[in-house]
Amino acid sequence: MKIEQIYTGCLAEAAYYIESNGEAAIIDPLREVGPYLKKAEQNGAKIKYIFETHFHADFVSGHIDLAEKSGATIVYGPTATPAFKAHIATDGEQFKIGNLTITALHTPGHTLESTTYLLTDAEGKNHCIFTGDTLFIGDVGRPDLAQKGTLTMNDLAGLLYDSLNEKIKPLADEVIVYPGHGAGSACGKSMSKETFDTLGHQKQVNYALKAATKEQFIKEVTDGILPPPQYFAKNAAMNKGGYESIDEVFEKGLNPLSPQAFEDLANQTSALILDTRDPQVFAKAFIPNAINIGLNGQFAPWVGALITDLKQNILLVTDEGKEEETITRLARVGYDYTIGYLEGGIAAWQNAGKQIDQVTSISAEEFEKAYQSNPKILALDVRKPGEYEAEHLDFTHPRPLDYINDWTSELDAQKTYYVHCAGGYRSMIAASILKARGVDNVIDVAGGYGAIKNTQLKRTDFVCPSKMAKS
């Protein structure tokens, strides 16, 4: 028996490779399916099943491409209605992979079709559960994504409570929990950084499994849920309705362009220029109106949160050799319309004598001096609301990057704004968007709040997030 968790940190997503006696199964595959096919081939195994725990909202799964290329059967749980060929399992239905047995346990709550897969080994012992977004380490899936008709968030939370108590908690304590996500995913609110655990330990430490009553569970699970990123519903629709092959996405996107061809195509198509270099490198020289979302951070989730049109044409500026990786990571969240990249990067653009722009980036110490000389400076804190509430500078205005499309119009394009986040990644995203929208006098505070805490600037007293939730 072989079970491998394939964890993708930038999405906080876990796919799984299961193999026994020459047969394999994949659970919740990512969009690019080559690694799964290669792994099976190297092990002399044939992929028999592709198990989907639900219609994912935070990424586009690779189930359709993988089924076409491997001949495997796509399996969803009860009530799923995909627009493509798939086997819809009944509750309790069993599937054989070599000497292993996979049992579909219908666990609605996160979504109505959500299904947990129980793996039983060759000796008939329950070994592990693949819980998707039903049960995380330290948390459970948010119950607000599948509200339909009269079905409310509280209704779904109630279903989730029943699923956990009737299908999962009765399993033995030594059963291993393999979830679909870890810390950083927007599919829950307080996931642990660990990516697996025993069910017994989770019963002891996971607040959602310790709730004494259904009413308490519903209150705790629904408290403090932020609105889902705008791309969630769109990704879920793609997973349910189908999408084009990633091979076609690569064919469109891996299109090297000279500086002049890049400029011409940008003008002809109204394409978004997306620069994925390090924030501080970007600040020194970039193509006017380009948006910076660094590849080395939570790239795909931020693209999904901020670029509202999945069919937006995108032109890329990347570090050399990062073009294919960037296109892959865009496609993982449904952005399939990359139409080319700047060959030779920003150096080629500058060598061609093309115009560049810059963002002024200052140290936390320089920021402190600017405030001391003018206490009326306008400073924007673009961290999440919970981060701001926990601790912030006395004089900053909360303007979460997540909602920049809502608050940009409130700014005065003639004024100067200082922008900071926690470490410098999000503030440069915000600065680039503001400049592209005509707010030209934007100054980034490098190192963000982490660096600002080393200055004498007055901060509010720290409030533990758990205390805020109870107050």
Side-chain angles (χ1 to χ4, degrees):
M1 176 174 72
K2 180 176 185 178
I3 301 170
E4 183 177 348
Q5 183 184 68
I6 306 169
Y7 196 78
T8 304
C10 62
L11 277 179
E13 192 273 347
Y16 295 91
Y17 176 89
I18 303 161
E19 184 193 313
S20 172
N21 203 24
E23 294 184 334
I26 311 294
I27 296 180
D28 294 340
L30 281 184
R31 184 77 180 273
E32 67 281 13
V33 301
Y36 311 117
L37 295 166
K38 185 177 180 181
K39 191 177 293 291
E41 183 182 359
Q42 288 175 338
N43 294 338
K46 178 175 174 56
I47 300 175
K48 186 177 181 181
Y49 293 112
I50 301 157
F51 293 103
E52 288 285 3
T53 55
H54 63 296
F55 293 121
H56 307 283
D58 60 311
F59 70 98
V60 179
S61 178
H63 52 293
I64 297 174
D65 267 357
L66 187 55
E68 185 176 312
K69 293 181 178 180
S70 68
T73 299
I74 301 171
V75 178
Y76 276 96
T79 78
T81 55
F84 43 83
K85 184 179 179 181
H87 179 87
I88 308 304
T90 56
D91 189 21
E93 184 173 351
Q94 295 187 333
F95 302 84
K96 297 295 289 186
I97 302 157
N99 297 322
L100 308 177
T101 302
I102 297 277
T103 304
L105 305 177
H106 190 208
T107 49
H110 174 66
T111 66
L112 292 175
E113 78 284 350
S114 285
T115 297
T116 293
Y117 295 102
L118 169 65
L119 184 147
T120 306
D121 65 21
E123 283 72 48
K125 182 180 179 182
N126 292 339
H127 178 76
C128 64
I129 46 175
F130 302 94
T131 55
D133 290 18
T134 294
L135 174 63
F136 298 125
I137 307 307
D139 201 359
V140 290
R142 56 190 299 164
D144 62 322
L145 299 182
Q147 301 174 73
K148 292 178 182 177
T150 59
L151 197 64
T152 67
M153 174 173 67
N154 283 6
D155 293 333
L156 286 161
L159 286 174
L160 184 56
Y161 177 84
D162 293 339
S163 293
L164 292 168
N165 282 275
E166 294 170 10
K167 299 289 182 67
I168 291 179
K169 286 177 72 173
L171 296 171
D173 285 354
E174 63 265 24
V175 168
I176 300 168
V177 177
Y178 285 122
H181 292 288
S185 168
C187 293
K189 58 183 180 179
S190 58
M191 289 179 229
S192 169
K193 66 180 184 299
E194 281 76 28
T195 61
F196 64 93
D197 195 6
T198 63
L199 181 58
H201 189 244
Q202 281 303 294
K203 290 176 186 176
Q204 295 173 14
V205 301
N206 190 323
Y207 76 96
L209 297 185
K210 295 194 296 179
T213 65
K214 182 183 283 193
E215 290 70 25
Q216 180 189 351
F217 176 89
I218 292 172
K219 184 178 184 302
E220 291 186 356
V221 166
T222 58
D223 183 51
I225 294 180
L226 293 173
Q230 63 84 29
Y231 73 105
F232 268 31
K234 300 169 186 176
N235 276 198
M238 289 178 70
N239 282 318
K240 186 175 181 179
Y243 48 79
E244 67 179 324
S245 169
I246 198 167
D247 297 338
E248 296 170 19
V249 176
F250 285 138
E251 191 174 333
K252 283 186 300 190
L254 289 173
N255 175 28
L257 299 165
S258 68
Q260 189 59 51
F262 186 96
E263 185 175 40
D264 290 344
L265 196 54
N267 292 332
Q268 291 163 12
T269 62
S270 298
L272 173 74
I273 300 173
L274 181 60
D275 192 319
T276 68
R277 294 174 297 147
D278 177 84
Q280 289 301 312
V281 175
F282 168 86
K284 294 172 184 173
F286 59 89
I287 297 172
N289 297 321
I291 304 301
N292 174 241
I293 304 179
L295 201 61
N296 291 329
Q298 292 283 312
F299 174 73
W302 279 117
V303 167
L306 300 173
I307 302 175
T308 56
D309 183 4
L310 263 64
K311 295 186 177 180
Q312 167 73 55
N313 286 323
I314 295 173
L315 286 167
L316 295 177
V317 180
T318 72
D319 288 324
E320 189 173 357
K322 294 292 186 179
E323 301 85 9
E324 185 171 338
E325 179 186 346
T326 303
I327 293 168
T328 299
R329 289 169 68 173
L330 286 168
R332 284 175 182 166
V333 286
Y335 292 82
D336 291 354
Y337 289 83
T338 300
I339 56 175
Y341 65 90
L342 180 61
E343 189 172 25
I346 199 69
W349 184 266
Q350 290 177 287
N351 291 337
K354 299 290 185 182
Q355 184 182 355
I356 62 164
D357 202 350
Q358 295 178 316
V359 168
T360 300
S361 188
I362 63 172
S363 67
E365 291 73 25
E366 290 172 306
F367 179 50
E368 181 179 25
K369 291 175 183 175
Y371 174 75
Q372 289 169 343
S373 63
N374 177 17
K376 292 185 178 181
I377 63 172
L378 295 170
L380 310 179
D381 184 332
V382 299
R383 295 176 300 160
K384 292 181 181 296
E387 294 173 275
Y388 182 86
E389 290 163 12
E391 188 179 18
H392 60 267
L393 293 173
D394 275 357
F395 61 91
T396 52
H397 302 276
R399 294 294 184 272
L401 175 60
D402 305 64
Y403 312 121
I404 194 169
N405 293 324
D406 299 327
W407 56 256
T408 305
S409 59
E410 300 171 8
L411 303 186
D412 184 341
Q414 305 307 311
K415 293 183 177 179
T416 297
Y417 294 91
Y418 294 79
V419 183
H420 84 78
C421 60
Y425 179 83
R426 289 173 285 178
S427 61
M428 192 60 70
I429 298 175
S432 67
I433 291 173
L434 294 180
K435 283 187 73 79
R437 293 177 180 175
V439 184
D440 199 49
N441 299 313
V442 182
I443 299 172
D444 170 68
V445 183
Y449 197 73
I452 288 169
K453 289 174 76 168
N454 296 320
T455 70
Q456 298 304 308
L457 289 169
K458 189 176 179 183
R459 309 190 303 273
T460 60
D461 292 332
F462 177 76
V463 180
C464 178
S466 61
K467 290 183 180 178
M468 286 192 294
K470 293 174 184 174
S471 63

